Amino acid sequence: MAKFVVAGKADCPHYAKAELLADYLQTNLPDFKVHKITHHPNKWEQWLHDICEMNRWEHRESPIIWRELVDRGGKGLLLGGVNDFLEYAQHYYGVISRMLGEEMLDIAKENLKEHIEIEKEEEEIKSLIKPLQIWITSASSPTCYQLISLLANGEVFGMTTEISIHLLDADRFKEVLCGIVMEAEDMAFPLLRSISEHTKLNEAFIQADVVIVLDDVLLNHEDQSLENSIREVSEICQVYAPLIEKNAKSDVRVISSGKTLVNLKAMLIITYGPSIKPENVIAVATSWESAAKAMLARKLNMSAAGVKDVIVWGNITGSNYIDLSHAKLYGYDCAIWGPANFPHPLLNMVYDSKWIHSEFLSAHSSLSSRVCSCAGMLLGHAVATVLRYWYHGSPPGEILSVGILTEGQFCVPEGIVFSMPVRFQNGNWEVMTELEINEKTQEVLGHLAHELIQEKHMALKEIEGINPNGADKITS
């Protein structure tokens, strides 16, 4: 099998002659194959330079013709230009090209016209396939590093949805961002249209479909007080929110994640970005759900994947309440057997109630330590899971906890971002208000809401000079 590649400028008459000869040979010889490559005259010189440098060839004109060694692999064997190809065809196949110069010029003109039309058509098709624009702040963080492959492999947005990822961080992290970009490009994700780094705020969130806010602050009281941390978060959100309003798409979805003050970040983005749809801003609690499920699974000696419907109420990265009253076990090996989709109420299976009310609930601090000390994989998976459910719906009947702007559900005061159970469906979410909660849980929710109200008071006081004691109720 002889496989040749004929490449040249679209308007080159010598390429036209070589092309027609190659077509004739392919039509009349069963073992002769040709692959043709044309480039616009403006792009030809650079392409020729690159292909010759890659293969260590010496060639400076159009066309360039080589034979691909398909049976052995490796680089192609350079034949040369049009005259070399004519000699080869005559010597090996006894075929002579008798095309006249005027005919060559006419075909070259047709080739250029056709090439331009094909390029235009390809650009139009490409423009119709508009990738999702995803912006990630604090993109030098380990969470972002873990998140990129989860977003780009097609499982989050779908196997037919292309994405463009934009990494935003301070100028001092530019080198880190460039390294992440290079590594992501090297992985050649088929759905990753582009990935880029940004360090200038005036470029931030342009045409964004999704914004993932990963900024964190120190909460070590030896180094920084809670008030200073809240002030820092407020300053960040005061910058981000107007830029999202100005540059992002009108239906942009904003995800607040991280290890600190995620509820507050979501609330302040809504506060300082009044035109951003409040229902499109949520805080992620999935990492806490996952850590709690893993702890329960170890106690029950089962897979954490079989633990469902653990609810995280309240301040996700502050005082929250892990509610097991609706939790279920699937695939649990016990005396009662049923089909694969048969659930066991978790509280009926954990017979050690003392462990639940002492070790598990008091281990809240160990859960916090587990989430806050993670290297980024857990938080990245949590963001990817929430986005997948947001775009494609959560599993039927399954509960997911996210922080949303309250409207009085479960008697929680309005105007704070509070984690509660939701379901995702048709690109939206809705609070599962049909769930019953007991008086003790309701009392706990009241205490949790009070903490978030105080956080909001402190944030507005620090930035806007509002006296938190001057109002009985804060609204967004």
Side-chain angles (χ1 to χ4, degrees):
M1 173 71 70
K3 183 177 181 181
F4 284 84
V5 178
V6 180
K9 288 191 296 184
D11 64 346
C12 174
H14 299 295
Y15 169 78
K17 189 169 188 175
E19 174 194 26
L20 288 187
L21 176 58
D23 286 342
Y24 176 85
L25 294 173
Q26 181 171 250
T27 302
N28 293 278
L29 300 174
D31 293 330
F32 187 97
K33 300 294 179 184
V34 62
H35 174 62
K36 294 178 285 186
I37 300 173
T38 60
H39 285 279
H40 193 279
N42 296 338
K43 301 177 181 178
W44 166 255
E45 294 295 337
Q46 185 61 50
W47 181 88
L48 180 62
H49 174 270
D50 293 342
I51 197 73
C52 288
E53 185 175 297
M54 182 177 67
N55 291 285
R56 298 182 181 179
W57 292 336
E58 288 290 336
H59 194 83
R60 296 291 179 267
E61 59 188 15
S62 173
I64 180 173
I65 303 165
W66 70 88
R67 181 175 178 179
E68 289 193 339
L69 308 179
V70 293
D71 293 330
R72 292 185 296 163
K75 71 176 185 179
L77 179 66
L78 179 65
L79 183 61
V82 63
N83 291 331
D84 301 295
F85 188 47
L86 294 175
E87 290 177 11
Y88 184 93
Q90 183 177 358
H91 179 74
Y92 283 94
Y93 305 117
V95 176
I96 300 174
S97 173
R98 303 187 184 280
M99 182 183 293
L100 301 176
E102 186 176 338
E103 187 180 359
M104 291 164 54
L105 290 171
D106 290 340
I107 293 176
K109 290 179 182 178
E110 292 178 7
N111 280 345
L112 179 59
K113 182 180 179 181
E114 182 181 1
H115 180 84
I116 292 173
E117 289 177 353
I118 291 173
E119 276 192 335
K120 184 178 179 181
E121 184 179 345
E122 288 176 348
E123 286 298 321
E124 288 176 353
I125 293 173
K126 189 175 180 180
S127 68
L128 293 174
I129 306 173
K130 296 181 179 179
L132 281 177
Q133 304 294 324
I134 302 167
W135 284 79
I136 306 175
T137 72
S138 192
S140 62
S141 67
T143 300
C144 175
Y145 188 83
Q146 299 288 344
L147 183 58
I148 288 173
S149 60
L150 297 174
L151 296 176
N153 66 13
E155 293 184 6
V156 174
F157 300 106
M159 300 305 294
T160 59
T161 302
E162 291 189 349
I163 65 172
S164 290
I165 297 177
H166 305 268
L167 308 178
L168 178 66
D169 214 323
D171 191 61
R172 66 181 181 274
F173 296 113
K174 185 178 180 66
E175 188 174 340
V176 176
L177 299 184
C178 290
I180 296 173
V181 168
M182 289 178 60
E183 191 168 350
E185 290 174 341
D186 289 345
M187 294 180 74
F189 294 105
L191 296 174
L192 182 59
R193 173 78 69 85
S194 64
I195 181 168
S196 55
E197 47 82 20
H198 303 267
T199 57
K200 297 179 180 178
L201 279 172
N202 60 352
E203 299 176 351
F205 314 126
I206 292 176
Q207 290 298 300
D209 293 289
V210 176
V211 174
I212 302 170
V213 181
L214 299 180
D215 299 71
D216 271 319
V217 296
L218 292 173
L219 281 181
N220 185 337
H221 291 277
E222 296 179 0
D223 300 324
Q224 180 164 317
S225 67
L226 177 61
E227 290 79 3
N228 288 338
S229 297
I230 289 176
R231 180 187 300 113
E232 187 175 335
V233 168
S234 299
E235 291 171 351
I236 291 169
C237 294
Q238 272 201 315
V239 173
Y240 285 168
L243 286 170
I244 293 172
E245 280 190 303
K246 177 183 175 183
N247 295 335
K249 294 179 181 175
S250 60
D251 58 348
V252 62
R253 302 181 184 188
V254 182
I255 296 270
S256 173
S257 184
K259 301 177 182 179
T260 55
L261 300 172
V262 296
N263 294 58
L264 184 63
K265 284 187 292 186
M267 187 277 297
L268 290 175
I269 287 172
I270 294 170
T271 301
Y272 296 125
S275 68
I276 302 171
K277 298 177 181 177
E279 65 271 20
N280 280 8
V281 182
I282 62 177
V284 175
T286 312
S287 51
W288 286 82
E289 285 184 3
S290 299
K293 290 174 183 178
M295 190 172 179
L296 291 162
R298 285 193 297 272
K299 176 67 175 178
L300 294 165
N301 194 27
M302 64 175 292
S303 169
V307 183
K308 303 290 185 182
D309 301 343
V310 172
I311 301 174
V312 179
W313 296 94
N315 192 353
I316 296 166
T317 50
S319 296
N320 58 44
Y321 172 54
I322 308 297
D323 183 1
L324 304 181
S325 61
H326 300 277
K328 303 178 185 65
L329 305 177
Y330 292 84
Y332 180 57
D333 187 9
C334 66
I336 302 173
W337 285 76
N341 60 350
F342 177 75
H344 295 282
L346 183 143
L347 292 178
N348 290 352
M349 298 296 108
V350 181
Y351 299 105
D352 190 353
S353 59
K354 181 179 178 181
W355 178 85
I356 292 178
H357 295 289
S358 58
E359 277 189 58
F360 179 74
L361 294 180
S362 67
H364 194 56
S365 58
S366 68
L367 280 177
S368 176
S369 175
R370 189 179 185 87
V371 174
C372 292
S373 63
C374 70
M377 189 182 301
L378 178 61
L379 294 173
H381 179 265
V383 172
T385 299
V386 170
L387 279 172
R388 184 173 72 251
Y389 289 171
W390 206 347
Y391 275 82
H392 301 290
S394 51
E398 189 168 321
I399 297 172
L400 189 75
S401 306
V402 297
I404 54 98
L405 187 68
T406 55
E407 296 179 349
Q409 304 96 330
F410 299 106
C411 298
V412 174
E414 297 180 18
I416 56 174
V417 170
F418 193 93
S419 180
M420 56 180 61
V422 305
R423 66 169 66 86
F424 288 93
Q425 195 171 20
N426 300 323
N428 300 304
W429 54 262
E430 61 177 352
V431 178
M432 302 178 71
T433 52
E434 71 275 13
L435 293 181
E436 295 183 2
I437 59 174
N438 55 38
E439 291 183 7
K440 182 179 178 181
T441 300
Q442 189 66 66
E443 183 180 351
V444 171
L445 299 191
H447 292 303
L448 299 178
H450 178 72
E451 178 185 283
L452 285 165
I453 290 172
Q454 290 302 110
E455 272 191 10
K456 184 172 181 178
H457 272 273
M458 292 169 66
L460 297 178
K461 178 183 177 182
E462 292 290 347
I463 295 299
E464 301 176 3
I466 295 176
N467 181 359
N469 297 320
D472 295 328
K473 177 179 171 183
I474 294 180
T475 63
S476 62

